[in-house]
Amino acid sequence: MKIPILVVGLLASAPLLPAATRTVTTTDNNSPGDDGQTSFLEALREAQAGDTIAFNIPGDGPHIIVTPMGGYPFITADNLTIDGYTQPGASPNTNPILGGNNAVLKIVLDSSGTDTAPGELLQHRSTRLIFPGFGDTEDAILPVVGARNVTIRGLSFLSRYAKDETDDPNVYCVAFVNTDASGTTPIPATGGHVSGCWFGLHPDGQTLKGGRASVATFRSGSNPDYAYASGLVIGTDGDGVNDRAEFNIHAAMSLAIHLQVPDVKISGNYVNVLPDGNSFVDVNAVALAIGAVVNPDNPEPQTVEFLENANCRNVIIGTDGDGVADADERNIVANVSYSETMEFWREADRVVVAGNHFGVGVDGVTRSPVSTSEQPDFIRLSRTPSSVRIGPNGDGVSDDLEVNLIVGVKGDRFVAPGNGAAGDISEITYRRNVIIDCGFSALPFPGGETAIQNYYPEVVADVAQAKPVLTSLSGGILRGRFGAPNTANYGHSILDVYTIDPGALRNTTYFPALMVHPSRWLGSFPDNGAGDLDPDPNEFEFDLSAAGLTDATYLTVTATYSKESGAQNVGTSVSSPPANPIAARPTLFMTLTPGIDIRLWWAAPENAFQVEINGVVNDRLGWFPPGGETHFDGNNYLSIPYDPFTEQQFYRLRSL
């Protein structure tokens, strides 16, 4: 094809000239080169290593620069900076990540037009990407081809939805393309930084024109040692310098961030969250709009995703916890319309997800819309071994800022861990996260998918004790036990105590199994360390009387096993399932199915409480136990046949 030949020529023959600032002065990409004006197209054609493309277009703006037919030339110059904030009147965001985005953008790259022109391949207002890893069904607005350390900032990108076909290719706003000029030496587009941009969103903060993805990059070739665009930063780099100016907004994209790359940082992004931080893109409307393009005759909702990555390692999503700018490294991510919020569809080694808001705005209260066509899981790890840390690592640096707030994620899997045999596990660590109104059947994964007996022999000495057990809670004292670590692999352990999301506990989707979702974190305790009043190993007794709990507050405990002391880092630690829920005075739950039965259940240790029935609520002597209780994994329940002739019936729990 002609396009790869052109790439080789550009890479081989680009002259070395002193770095310069090339200032765009017109929105007209068709202006001739001798008219005293410089278009964006001309600036890109002339760009050399180390250059800056600046803007100084007359007028208040925003200035709409329509992408020429066939797209822009490949960006092949190393250390190039394209800076939309140089345009007079533009200014980067100054608010903290939880304060909304007040950036003023004046430069708009508009590839939303659907007009076409004939050519070897049908031309659109975007650049075709016929490279290993990409193909003739993929275009980009800004294609960075084999160029290192390219910075793109301060631009609004307007895109379009497509059919993902040769004549109607998908459009990425920015694509980092790894190429091979000689046939033997890979040239990766490493070190890219995309910051301070609004994708799919006009500078008015309301008008949406999304496309396939904001940022995309893929491995070039089938060899796993081939070129990757590693070192990519999407959002803030968290170096303490102008970090708030580096926040991105991704709106109405089919898949906001589409990667196949290691060593990437995704921090300081709003995804389907509008500039005020508490308003959201309607993912259901976007899904249907994409479907109407894919199949105009029979539109069906398509997917609206946050993140996919593959062949990845050393990935940070959110806060890196290094003590520098950690509060501003969060991502605020609306609920998606896809099978999972984050998908790692090959190996995923040392992935950190920390400090983010999922499904909720910057205020931590305002919820984003949920999909009407999908019930997304939280994370998919498609292959083992993989490793992911969700939440803090407990090293004492910014741990409070590394907590994820996860709201309204309705899928049944917190982590889908991938397939693996005994000894071939994905190391999943989750600590201190707040989970509200989610649908996960169990944490860290559903037991039926990766059975505990196959997963935890590497972690605990006795797999039958992989799940902690709470035995009593009275007078503010919580007692229980947990499995001893398999010291050949994990020599250290720490216990985390939580209150439980009450909505999850009332949910009967997986009855008789209970949904035990940690909510408020109450503290961490090493076995036989500070705060543990029980001197016996692997048994604990914690005084929580100062935590302000009511007798009806349910608690749970998780154990995290680590290869190192004093921290629970990704790839070196594994968390247990939550213990059975327990409260000093458990709640008696009831569901009524007219004509069939009354179902009663209460979360408590077996034989700790008993149901009693009475026909008169204030009859002290008429209470009697119906019997027939069944206990399952912390849940006690019984079924009483429905009797339509019984005028009234009262139920209570009595401690034994």
Side-chain angles (χ1 to χ4, degrees):
M1 301 297 291
K2 292 182 179 179
I3 291 177
I5 293 173
L6 177 59
V7 174
V8 172
L10 285 170
L11 290 170
S13 61
L16 297 176
L17 298 175
T21 297
R22 304 181 187 277
T23 303
V24 177
T25 57
T26 179
T27 61
D28 185 4
N29 275 321
N30 296 315
S31 65
D34 58 358
D35 64 351
Q37 301 291 318
T38 300
S39 68
F40 188 48
L41 177 60
E42 290 170 326
L44 287 173
R45 283 173 175 168
E46 297 167 2
Q48 304 294 317
D51 284 357
T52 295
I53 295 179
F55 297 84
N56 189 7
I57 300 172
D60 292 337
H63 300 286
I64 310 296
I65 302 176
V66 177
T67 304
M69 193 63 65
Y72 292 112
F74 304 131
I75 297 170
T76 59
D78 291 347
N79 303 302
L80 178 70
T81 297
I82 303 173
D83 190 352
Y85 287 126
T86 55
Q87 172 65 35
S91 59
N93 172 70
T94 58
N95 284 340
I97 194 69
L98 297 183
N101 190 308
N102 64 2
V104 177
L105 278 70
K106 294 291 186 179
I107 300 298
V108 181
L109 303 186
D110 186 357
S111 287
S112 62
T114 58
D115 49 329
T116 60
E120 184 175 349
L121 293 174
L122 187 65
Q123 295 187 14
H124 297 262
R125 294 195 179 275
S126 46
T127 304
R128 198 71 62 134
L129 301 173
I130 305 180
F131 296 94
F134 293 87
D136 64 7
T137 64
E138 294 167 292
D139 278 19
I141 300 175
L142 291 183
V144 180
V145 179
R148 299 168 174 84
N149 305 319
V150 171
T151 297
I152 298 169
R153 65 190 301 263
L155 302 174
S156 165
F157 292 83
L158 304 183
S159 189
R160 65 177 183 86
Y161 304 127
K163 294 182 178 180
D164 189 21
E165 297 174 351
T166 300
D167 283 347
D168 191 15
N170 283 322
V171 180
Y172 307 120
C173 294
V174 180
F176 290 90
V177 182
N178 309 301
T179 187
D180 192 338
S182 65
T184 58
T185 305
I187 302 176
T190 57
H193 190 185
V194 180
S195 70
C197 293
W198 291 10
F199 296 98
L201 182 64
H202 188 278
D204 64 12
Q206 295 294 325
T207 303
L208 301 172
K209 291 188 178 181
R212 173 58 180 168
S214 304
V215 182
T217 182
F218 306 108
R219 184 180 70 187
S220 59
S222 59
N223 186 334
D225 296 324
Y226 219 71
Y228 293 89
S230 59
L232 176 62
V233 176
I234 303 173
T236 181
D237 56 14
D239 65 356
V241 179
N242 297 322
D243 291 306
R244 294 176 179 178
E246 297 171 344
F247 297 163
N248 295 311
I249 298 179
H250 311 256
M253 292 291 159
S254 176
L255 201 178
I257 300 172
H258 196 182
L259 307 177
Q260 190 175 9
V261 60
D263 304 306
V264 60
K265 183 171 186 177
I266 302 167
S267 302
N269 297 274
Y270 286 5
V271 181
N272 288 323
V273 178
L274 296 178
D276 68 5
N278 290 315
S279 298
F280 307 94
V281 174
D282 185 343
V283 294
N284 293 300
V286 171
L288 191 57
I290 299 169
V293 171
V294 171
N295 187 351
D297 296 327
N298 185 26
E300 294 288 340
Q302 302 294 298
T303 59
V304 181
E305 304 179 54
F306 161 43
L307 168 68
E308 287 189 19
N309 199 354
N311 296 105
C312 62
R313 61 185 181 276
N314 300 326
V315 173
I316 296 173
I317 302 167
T319 299
D320 60 18
D322 66 355
V324 180
D326 291 327
D328 282 328
E329 293 177 329
R330 310 170 191 265
N331 298 293
I332 314 300
V333 182
N335 278 310
V336 303
S337 182
Y338 187 58
S339 54
E340 44 266 334
T341 302
M342 291 168 284
E343 181 178 8
F344 301 93
W345 44 278
R346 286 185 178 142
E347 292 80 4
D349 187 22
R350 299 187 296 279
V351 175
V352 172
V353 181
N356 306 288
H357 286 195
F358 294 99
V360 67
V362 297
D363 62 3
V365 176
T366 305
R367 299 190 181 192
S368 72
V370 296
S371 172
T372 56
S373 57
E374 298 281 350
Q375 291 189 321
D377 300 330
F378 188 56
I379 291 178
R380 172 178 290 279
L381 302 174
S382 294
R383 294 186 183 177
T384 56
S386 293
S387 58
V388 59
R389 168 168 61 88
I390 306 167
N393 66 350
D395 66 353
V397 180
S398 298
D399 286 327
D400 290 346
L401 299 175
E402 296 176 275
V403 173
N404 296 291
L405 175 57
I406 307 169
V407 179
V409 179
K410 295 300 186 180
D412 67 342
R413 293 174 293 190
F414 182 60
V415 177
N419 297 317
D424 182 24
I425 69 171
S426 293
E427 293 178 295
I428 303 167
T429 304
Y430 68 101
R431 300 190 61 220
R432 296 184 53 179
N433 302 289
V434 178
I435 302 175
I436 299 173
D437 192 25
C438 293
F440 314 131
S441 63
L443 277 67
F445 48 76
E449 273 190 40
T450 301
I452 286 177
Q453 57 264 32
N454 287 338
Y455 185 83
Y456 283 102
E458 300 291 310
V459 182
V460 294
D462 182 356
V463 71
Q465 300 178 11
K467 183 175 181 176
V469 174
L470 299 180
T471 56
S472 69
L473 173 60
S474 61
I477 304 297
L478 178 67
R479 300 175 180 85
R481 60 184 181 271
F482 73 104
N486 180 340
T487 55
N489 299 315
Y490 300 93
H492 308 275
S493 59
I494 193 164
L495 300 166
D496 289 302
V497 183
Y498 305 90
T499 65
I500 294 173
D501 176 30
L505 195 62
R506 289 193 298 267
N507 193 312
T508 60
T509 300
Y510 309 106
F511 193 89
L514 297 172
M515 292 169 59
V516 182
H517 294 173
S519 182
R520 176 188 165 200
W521 175 76
L522 299 178
S524 297
F525 304 89
D527 185 32
N528 295 335
D532 185 3
L533 306 179
D534 189 321
D536 294 332
N538 308 115
E539 298 193 9
F540 54 83
E541 184 175 307
F542 305 141
D543 186 349
L544 303 175
S545 57
L549 307 176
T550 70
D551 284 350
T553 302
Y554 277 94
L555 303 181
T556 190
V557 167
T558 62
T560 297
Y561 301 89
S562 180
K563 297 176 182 177
E564 54 189 317
S565 176
Q568 297 77 45
N569 285 305
V570 63
T572 67
S573 57
V574 175
S575 295
S576 75
N580 55 292
I582 195 169
R585 188 179 70 246
T587 300
L588 181 63
F589 298 105
M590 180 179 71
T591 57
L592 170 65
T593 305
I596 299 178
D597 67 3
I598 299 169
R599 185 166 64 185
L600 304 170
W601 79 97
W602 62 101
E606 188 173 10
N607 298 322
F609 291 85
Q610 175 180 269
V611 166
E612 295 182 335
I613 301 176
N614 198 332
V616 181
V617 69
N618 58 358
D619 178 5
R620 298 180 59 187
L621 301 178
W623 294 94
F624 68 94
E629 297 97 339
T630 301
H631 181 82
F632 176 81
D633 199 23
N635 190 17
N636 303 269
Y637 59 97
L638 63 85
S639 177
I640 299 173
Y642 177 77
D643 183 354
F645 300 104
T646 300
E647 293 186 1
Q648 61 184 8
Q649 197 78 61
F650 300 97
Y651 307 93
R652 74 178 184 183
L653 279 179
R654 183 175 66 84
S655 61
L656 298 177

